[in-house]
Amino acid sequence: MGLGRARGSEAWRGDTRARPLVTRARCRGRLEGPGAMTQAEIKLCSLLLHEHFGEIVEKIGTQLVRTGGQALRGIAGDTGLLLDQVKKALCVLIQHNLVTFRLPRRGGVEYEAQCGRILRILRYPRYIYTAKTLYGDTGELIVEELLLNGQLTMSAVVRKVADRLTETMEDGKTMDYADVSSTFVRLVDTHFVQRCPLVPEGPQSPEAPPPPAPTLVSSDKDMYTVPRLSLVGKGKRRRSCEEEDGEPRAKKQKQEGESSEAPPDDGIYWQVNIDRFHQHFRDQAIVSAVANRMDQLEFVGKSGDSGGGMYTVNLHKALASLATATLESIVEERFGSRCARIFRLLLRKKHLEQKQVEDFAMIPAKEAKEMLYKMLSESFVSLQEIPKTPDHAPSRTFYLYTVNVPAAARMLLHRCYKSVANLMERRQFETKENKRLLEKSQRVEAILASMQATGAEPAQLQEIEEMITAPERQQLETLKRNVNKIDASENQVDETIFVLESFIESTVKRP
């Protein structure tokens, strides 16, 4: 998909180590404090930041995830990093919309991590693939460049994408800026790309001191308004030599005016609208569910009778059905078909005593009891006590089994976060174990590319290729296969995460 595992500057890869995680709270690993994030979510945020931006940015980001918000010097004091390192790391995080800043009443500037946005890094390949499906290679690269850089001007995106597409074309062919620009406009028109908030323009009193931090505002009217630009030009190919056509590159750029003046859209930055991508994912999941399960047309409801009535899609019911189907599938995979039968029975009947479960499911008492307790211990089902008397005596109390779908969804979501973190750690372990071989393979590939560019003989190229032995090639193939499986597993788990998150969000917003 092109994005790969994007990483920050090598300057951020120091030998610093993150502090121990804060203590676990009593209930299901949740943390005391802002955001009430679980240990699994914090660990996953830390792994994502480290993989994409390096150790120092990861250390700053994880510190903000734990504390909720801190001032600059507080961050430096708690992490033990230099003030300049903290400033640069915060710039990276703000550029990628992973940290925001605000002005508290007590003064100064406070920085706050956007935990949900950090977790969305896991979904970047899916955003890029969706853009490719809807808008082709050009749309794919536009979204990829915006995700890689956080925020960019339209002119910068068009130039970068045109250059990358030209690199893949046959010699003599180039990508026109106008073609890339038209795809960019289509992405904005469909709200997959939107403007970033700006500093409002206005007169400033020369006597009043400037605020410690600007207040960014966004206008709904201009959010999806593309400025009128006359982007004329074509993509360019990279050249390995310092001189082109006998002239130094710096001199040629100066002659062409590439750096002599500001771009026409200077100051207007764009970002990926991940909420719009999530809306697309949700709609596609609902359509797929209706297509595959005709007994779910209950998704559509009718309101009013005037003019034949108005038909609407009940999004909450649709998302609840998707989440329930996910839970059923996992119960069947984990505990077997007989447990799944009991689980579906409880979903349909809402509340049942153990004897009723045995009778309705037609399962022997001993087996039904074991299955219920197994699912109860894993929090897939819950037990509700209804006492007949105030003393809660067991002999005078009804014990009803039920499925609390929102609670089960939250439990499963927590496990999904843990699963993704484990997969990422496994991929890092596989890569670390084969680090020497990977470095050797990269050196050989670089030598081959250089020799091919200079027109080397086939015999010479074969001699270079033989620097990697047959066992080493087999080891590389095994590593590649394992890493691909891990990446595919991450994407599959993220699909489950999306369904569960969407359902939980709809439950919270529902009046």
Side-chain angles (χ1 to χ4, degrees):
M1 284 175 276
L3 179 65
R5 299 289 166 186
R7 298 182 182 272
S9 170
E10 289 298 322
W12 298 109
R13 301 189 177 277
D15 293 329
T16 55
R17 293 187 178 181
R19 285 190 166 192
L21 293 174
V22 294
T23 56
R24 187 183 296 264
R26 290 173 56 193
C27 181
R28 295 186 183 277
R30 288 223 164 249
L31 298 173
E32 302 290 350
M37 292 196 70
T38 65
Q39 291 282 14
E41 289 172 300
I42 290 181
K43 182 179 180 180
L44 182 54
C45 285
S46 177
L47 288 169
L48 288 168
L49 289 172
H50 184 275
E51 185 170 70
H52 289 259
F53 302 103
E55 284 197 44
I56 293 183
V57 173
E58 175 266 325
K59 194 170 185 179
I60 301 299
T62 306
Q63 173 67 18
L64 291 176
V65 168
R66 293 174 186 152
T67 59
Q70 268 189 305
L72 180 64
R73 295 193 178 275
I75 300 171
D78 288 347
T79 58
L81 297 173
L82 298 175
L83 206 60
D84 187 55
Q85 289 177 311
V86 177
K87 289 179 180 178
K88 291 179 179 179
L90 286 173
C91 285
V92 171
L93 291 166
I94 292 171
Q95 170 75 14
H96 286 266
N97 309 302
L98 306 177
V99 164
T100 57
F101 53 86
R102 59 190 180 90
L103 303 175
R105 292 183 178 180
R106 60 179 179 271
V109 182
E110 196 169 81
Y111 300 90
E112 184 176 357
Q114 301 299 300
C115 305
R117 185 71 188 229
I118 295 173
L119 292 173
R120 295 294 80 80
I121 295 175
L122 182 67
R123 207 164 288 160
Y124 280 9
R126 194 175 175 189
Y127 301 147
I128 294 170
Y129 180 74
T130 301
K132 179 182 179 68
T133 304
L134 297 175
Y135 300 100
D137 293 343
T138 305
E140 173 193 12
L141 293 184
I142 289 173
V143 171
E144 182 178 332
E145 285 293 337
L146 288 173
L147 291 174
L148 283 171
N149 294 276
Q151 305 173 14
L152 278 177
T153 62
M154 178 180 173
S155 57
V157 173
V158 170
R159 185 179 66 254
K160 287 174 178 285
V161 171
D163 290 348
R164 290 182 61 181
L165 288 171
T166 300
E167 289 283 343
T168 63
M169 292 180 172
E170 299 176 359
D171 289 340
K173 293 185 178 181
T174 56
M175 188 68 184
D176 198 288
Y177 284 179
D179 294 335
V180 180
S181 180
S182 64
T183 304
F184 188 95
V185 172
R186 289 169 62 200
L187 282 163
V188 174
D189 289 342
T190 50
H191 295 188
F192 285 104
V193 171
Q194 63 183 12
R195 282 198 192 191
C196 299
L198 299 174
V199 179
E201 297 181 0
Q204 294 184 352
S205 173
E207 300 177 357
T215 301
L216 302 179
V217 296
S218 57
S219 170
D220 293 338
K221 182 183 68 174
D222 298 331
M223 185 74 72
Y224 304 103
T225 303
V226 181
R228 293 184 178 180
L229 302 177
S230 179
L231 298 176
V232 179
K234 295 181 182 294
K236 300 175 183 176
R237 300 179 187 271
R238 290 193 299 258
R239 288 173 173 77
S240 58
C241 59
E242 270 301 315
E243 295 189 359
E244 301 169 22
D245 301 329
E247 293 182 339
R249 180 174 298 181
K251 182 179 179 181
K252 188 167 185 178
Q253 287 180 348
K254 188 174 182 180
Q255 289 176 350
E256 292 175 352
E258 291 183 3
S259 58
S260 61
E261 59 183 22
D265 58 343
D266 187 33
I268 302 176
Y269 290 88
W270 299 85
Q271 62 185 351
V272 172
N273 183 5
I274 63 174
D275 291 334
R276 177 65 180 89
F277 277 97
H278 291 173
Q279 180 187 343
H280 178 77
F281 298 157
R282 181 202 66 195
D283 296 345
Q284 292 298 110
I286 293 174
V287 170
S288 177
V290 172
N292 295 329
R293 301 175 62 183
M294 295 307 296
D295 59 337
Q296 302 297 319
L297 286 166
E298 65 181 15
F299 289 176
V300 179
K302 182 180 179 181
S303 61
D305 295 321
S306 60
M310 179 180 291
Y311 292 89
T312 59
V313 176
N314 189 326
L315 291 178
H316 173 73
K317 184 176 289 187
L319 292 171
S321 180
L322 291 172
T324 303
T326 301
L327 288 169
E328 290 179 17
S329 174
I330 291 173
V331 167
E332 183 167 2
E333 183 71 23
R334 190 175 180 85
F335 305 112
S337 59
R338 292 163 76 85
C339 271
R341 188 197 309 173
I342 294 175
F343 189 80
R344 285 191 290 267
L345 180 64
L346 291 173
L347 285 170
R348 188 169 65 252
K349 298 293 187 179
K350 306 299 183 186
H351 296 85
L352 288 176
E353 290 185 280
Q354 182 176 315
K355 184 65 170 65
Q356 292 175 308
V357 171
E358 299 165 8
D359 295 339
F360 284 122
M362 294 183 290
I363 296 176
K366 183 180 179 181
E367 292 184 31
K369 183 178 180 180
E370 291 177 353
M371 293 174 183
L372 283 169
Y373 286 177
K374 192 181 295 183
M375 289 189 288
L376 182 65
S377 65
E378 297 281 345
S379 301
F380 284 97
V381 303
S382 56
L383 190 62
Q384 184 174 349
E385 299 180 6
I386 303 179
K388 296 179 183 178
T389 57
D391 60 357
H392 287 260
S395 60
R396 293 183 293 275
T397 302
F398 291 111
Y399 294 93
L400 302 179
Y401 288 94
T402 185
V403 177
N404 186 332
V405 177
R410 289 187 176 89
M411 176 275 299
L412 186 58
L413 180 62
H414 171 72
R415 293 189 178 183
C416 286
Y417 287 138
K418 291 181 67 175
S419 298
V420 174
N422 291 339
L423 287 168
M424 293 184 67
E425 288 184 324
R426 182 64 192 180
R427 185 179 63 246
Q428 292 172 2
F429 172 79
E430 292 277 352
T431 305
K432 186 177 180 181
E433 286 292 298
N434 296 274
K435 182 179 179 182
R436 183 198 62 81
L437 184 57
L438 286 171
E439 290 175 348
K440 180 180 178 180
S441 174
Q442 290 170 357
R443 287 196 301 270
V444 170
E445 288 177 1
I447 294 171
L448 283 172
S450 177
M451 294 182 69
Q452 286 173 347
T454 56
E457 297 289 333
Q460 294 176 307
L461 296 176
Q462 184 177 357
E463 183 179 351
I464 298 298
E465 289 177 352
E466 290 175 353
M467 291 175 63
I468 299 181
T469 63
E472 287 177 332
R473 290 191 183 280
Q474 186 176 2
Q475 188 176 349
L476 283 170
E477 285 298 319
T478 302
L479 173 63
K480 181 180 179 181
R481 186 165 57 251
N482 291 341
V483 170
N484 287 340
K485 286 182 180 178
I486 292 172
D487 288 343
S489 298
E490 284 184 25
N491 292 332
Q492 289 175 351
V493 176
D494 183 61
E495 289 181 11
T496 302
I497 289 175
F498 175 75
V499 170
L500 298 174
E501 283 181 340
S502 300
F503 165 67
I504 293 170
E505 186 180 356
S506 72
T507 303
V508 172
K509 291 183 177 180
R510 194 182 184 196

